[in-house]
Amino acid sequence: MDDRFNTIAGWVLFAGIVALGASVVTSEIFHGERPEEMGYPIEGVVLEGDGNAAEQPIEVFLAKADVAKGAQIFNKCAACHTVTKGGPNGLGPNLWDTLGEPVGKGKGFAFSDALAKKGGTWNFHNLSEWLSSPREFAPGTKMTFAGLGNPQDRANLIAYLNQQDPGPLPIPAAPAPAAPAAGAEAAAPADGNAAAPAEGNAAAPAQ
């Protein structure tokens, strides 16, 4: 009986050692690491370390905004907002003539203190910030909409809302591209020697 028990115990111990060894070998073979380039990029999310994906100013997207697409995007807002002149407030305020009006005030709507205390008037820039993330723009807001991560969608919607105005505001111009760094030197000729001035056109000394 003791011999049989010892035999069974020995086989169980042996099986455990084999399983442990297999686990170690498998973990070495199939060791997972973060790939250098992530697949399936998510729209609106900047990949870690990707400094070139920084969002451009909203004016860049407003320059190519599509009002018709903005009207389609507004369908997401229509459950809570109206946009017609004299339209009623719903869960959110009526959005007719929004650009240029005080932030968080007017239209007989009970705005949250978080938004009412922001101050200023709605313009293209702060409206883009609000639509990007209401909770970040005014922490404590009653607005439950998560926001529009795509800046072109925001620009299209803002352009549409701007048209729902008796006097639409002019779309601001996109900022000029950054100038090249000052002091950049011209590339040297391939042979490494400075090019000689053309005959009869010697370079003038600096004044």
Side-chain angles (χ1 to χ4, degrees):
M1 183 67 178
D2 290 340
D3 291 342
R4 184 178 179 184
F5 175 80
N6 290 338
T7 300
I8 294 173
W11 279 109
V12 170
L13 179 61
F14 176 74
I17 294 172
V18 171
L20 178 61
S23 175
V24 172
V25 172
T26 301
S27 65
E28 290 297 325
I29 295 175
F30 297 100
H31 178 64
E33 295 182 353
R34 178 185 174 93
E36 292 184 2
E37 182 176 349
M38 300 297 289
Y40 303 104
I42 302 174
E43 184 178 39
V45 175
V46 177
L47 297 181
E48 182 179 349
D50 188 358
N52 295 324
E55 185 174 311
Q56 296 176 297
I58 191 61
E59 290 83 0
V60 172
F61 301 97
L62 285 168
K64 51 186 177 181
D66 187 322
V67 173
K69 290 182 179 179
Q72 294 175 358
I73 296 170
F74 183 78
N75 289 332
K76 299 179 181 181
C77 314
C80 299
H81 299 275
T82 60
V83 74
T84 55
K85 183 178 181 180
N89 293 321
L91 293 177
N94 171 264
L95 297 180
W96 168 263
D97 195 14
T98 293
L99 281 159
E101 75 173 3
V103 175
K105 301 182 185 299
K107 295 183 177 176
F109 185 79
F111 290 95
S112 65
D113 289 342
L115 188 59
K117 292 178 179 178
K118 289 293 291 187
T121 59
W122 286 118
N123 55 48
F124 294 99
H125 184 72
N126 62 14
L127 188 54
S128 174
E129 291 182 340
W130 164 256
L131 292 172
S132 175
S133 177
R135 293 179 182 178
E136 288 186 11
F137 181 83
T141 179
K142 295 186 294 185
M143 180 81 155
T144 58
F145 181 61
L148 293 172
N150 187 315
Q152 190 60 63
D153 283 349
R154 296 200 302 273
N156 293 340
L157 178 57
I158 292 171
Y160 170 72
L161 292 175
N162 189 41
Q163 292 298 313
Q164 316 311 307
D165 188 307
L169 300 179
I171 299 295
E185 296 181 357
D191 62 3
N193 297 320
E199 183 177 355
N201 289 296
Q207 297 295 320

